[in-house]
Amino acid sequence: MINTPMDILELFPVRKTGKQKQAFRSAVKDYAEKLGYSVAVEKGSFGAMNIVIGDPDSAKYLVTAHYDTPARMLFPNFITPCNFAVYLAYQILIVLLFFVAAFVVSFVVTLATGLEELAFFSAYISYFGLLFLMMFGPANRHNYNDNTSGVITLLEIACTMPKHLRRKVCFVLFDLEEAGLIGSASYRKAHKHATANQIVLNLDCVGDGNEIVMFPNKLLKGNAKYMDRLDSICGQFGERKLVLHRKGFAICPSDSSNFPLGVGIMAFKRKKLIGLYCDRIHTERDTILEQTNINILRSALITLICQ
């Protein structure tokens, strides 16, 4: 039973198998219903099960996060949202490492069997086997930032939202984000008319970093009224800050990209040469969840929704 959103860290630290997800969904449903919300679990493609808290069709805002747990990797999913050169170089490096691993396996198999015709086959199996493990391998049991932070922040907003304003917002926890944004794509398809005009505030990896950045989609950037609303909640909060990315290259690889008025919200650290970056996620080093970040986002997004 969930008494406060932070209980998820102890009660449901991993949400990857069907049984783990079902237990989590039941607990969230009970918790939200006790707060007075209506709750539904919607089925999507490839077995995705999205948790919908509130009225998805009448809301002006959606606050979203994915609840599925990623697979554990030897190296982090390193994200530099505003530095394309570094982002591309890192992706190429990962591909090269996979090729090297596949070549080593192929060499060993050929050497051990003396059958050269097995070289290509073993390399092919090794390469795509590594890709499969990266997406569907054993769960990363340390996932404080990705995305327990987003789940907890969403529920913190839900439980502190004034009751007379709850009609303005719907909370959605997406499934199968790690498998390719499947849950959010299914939700968008099921609620295409409503989501055409809803601002979607997607929380993903918001627990580790001093700079919390909002990345609006292209269509949203062209709407001055909406951009001014988002800008109004930005500011400095002690050593941390909430900012709105307005211009220049940016990549926010999360569920917000499936919605016309999507806003990806992530927390980052900063270095001079590479700028903003997010590290540790998808590895056993993902053990940081700053309560201050949750408090900032809870206050800021409630202020936005209440405008």
Side-chain angles (χ1 to χ4, degrees):
M1 178 183 295
I2 299 173
N3 294 312
T4 68
M6 289 298 290
D7 289 345
I8 291 170
L9 280 173
E10 297 295 330
L11 298 177
F12 305 100
V14 179
R15 304 165 299 275
K16 191 167 178 64
T17 68
K19 185 176 181 180
Q20 291 166 344
K21 290 180 180 181
Q22 178 58 48
F24 171 77
R25 289 193 296 266
S26 295
V28 168
K29 186 174 186 294
D30 290 344
Y31 176 72
E33 287 178 341
K34 287 178 181 178
L35 294 174
Y37 289 97
S38 60
V39 184
V41 177
E42 295 185 354
K43 295 181 179 180
S45 302
F46 300 99
M49 304 288 280
N50 298 324
I51 309 170
V52 182
I53 303 170
D55 188 340
D57 296 317
S58 64
K60 294 183 177 180
Y61 292 89
L62 294 184
V63 178
T64 64
H66 77 87
Y67 70 89
D68 56 314
T69 297
R72 184 176 68 250
M73 296 169 54
L74 295 176
F75 40 82
N77 182 12
F78 189 70
I79 301 171
T80 54
C82 302
N83 191 324
F84 180 71
V86 173
Y87 180 82
L88 180 61
Y90 188 76
Q91 303 307 312
I92 293 174
L93 175 62
I94 298 303
V95 172
L96 289 176
L97 288 174
F98 279 20
F99 274 123
V100 169
F103 173 79
V104 171
V105 171
S106 173
F107 177 78
V108 171
V109 169
T110 304
L111 188 66
T113 63
L115 300 174
E116 293 185 2
E117 57 269 26
L118 290 179
F120 176 79
F121 180 75
S122 58
Y124 182 88
I125 294 296
S126 300
Y127 181 81
F128 285 98
L130 288 170
L131 286 178
F132 180 85
L133 287 174
M134 185 172 70
M135 296 183 66
F136 305 107
N140 182 30
R141 303 193 65 82
H142 303 282
N143 53 81
Y144 279 47
N145 192 27
D146 185 17
N147 188 34
T148 299
S149 66
V151 172
I152 290 176
T153 304
L154 180 149
L155 292 178
E156 285 281 0
I157 296 170
C159 72
T160 52
M161 179 65 62
K163 289 187 177 181
H164 68 286
L165 293 173
R166 291 181 178 179
R167 60 183 174 78
K168 295 181 65 177
V169 59
C170 179
F171 303 91
V172 186
L173 288 167
F174 297 127
D175 193 8
L176 295 186
E177 187 269 354
E178 300 291 351
L181 314 183
I182 293 173
S184 58
S186 296
Y187 182 88
R188 164 69 173 150
K189 183 178 181 181
H191 301 274
K192 192 171 184 178
H193 178 72
T195 54
N197 299 301
Q198 292 169 329
I199 295 180
V200 180
L201 305 164
N202 186 66
L203 302 159
D204 194 353
C205 302
V206 296
D208 184 13
N210 291 336
E211 293 189 41
I212 306 170
V213 186
M214 295 186 290
F215 297 98
N217 287 354
K218 184 177 181 179
L219 184 62
L220 192 56
K221 283 184 177 181
N223 190 310
K225 180 178 70 172
Y226 286 161
M227 290 296 285
D228 287 343
R229 287 183 187 177
L230 293 171
D231 199 42
S232 70
I233 64 172
C234 295
Q236 191 79 32
F237 302 88
E239 296 181 352
R240 302 174 188 275
K241 59 183 177 181
L242 175 63
V243 299
L244 176 64
H245 185 275
R246 286 181 172 271
K247 296 180 180 180
F249 170 80
I251 182 168
C252 184
S254 191
D255 291 303
S256 56
S257 61
N258 276 328
F259 299 92
L261 300 179
V263 183
I265 304 175
M266 297 182 69
F268 298 93
K269 291 169 274 190
R270 181 184 288 274
K271 284 186 179 180
K272 286 185 178 180
L273 294 179
I274 63 175
L276 297 172
Y277 71 96
C278 174
D279 60 352
R280 298 175 182 267
I281 59 175
H282 292 199
T283 71
E284 62 182 9
R285 298 177 64 228
D286 183 1
T287 57
I288 298 175
L289 200 171
E290 297 285 356
Q291 180 72 51
T292 303
N293 287 15
I294 294 175
N295 294 340
I296 290 170
L297 284 168
R298 178 183 60 196
S299 177
L301 296 189
I302 287 179
T303 299
L304 175 67
I305 292 166
C306 290
Q307 289 178 352

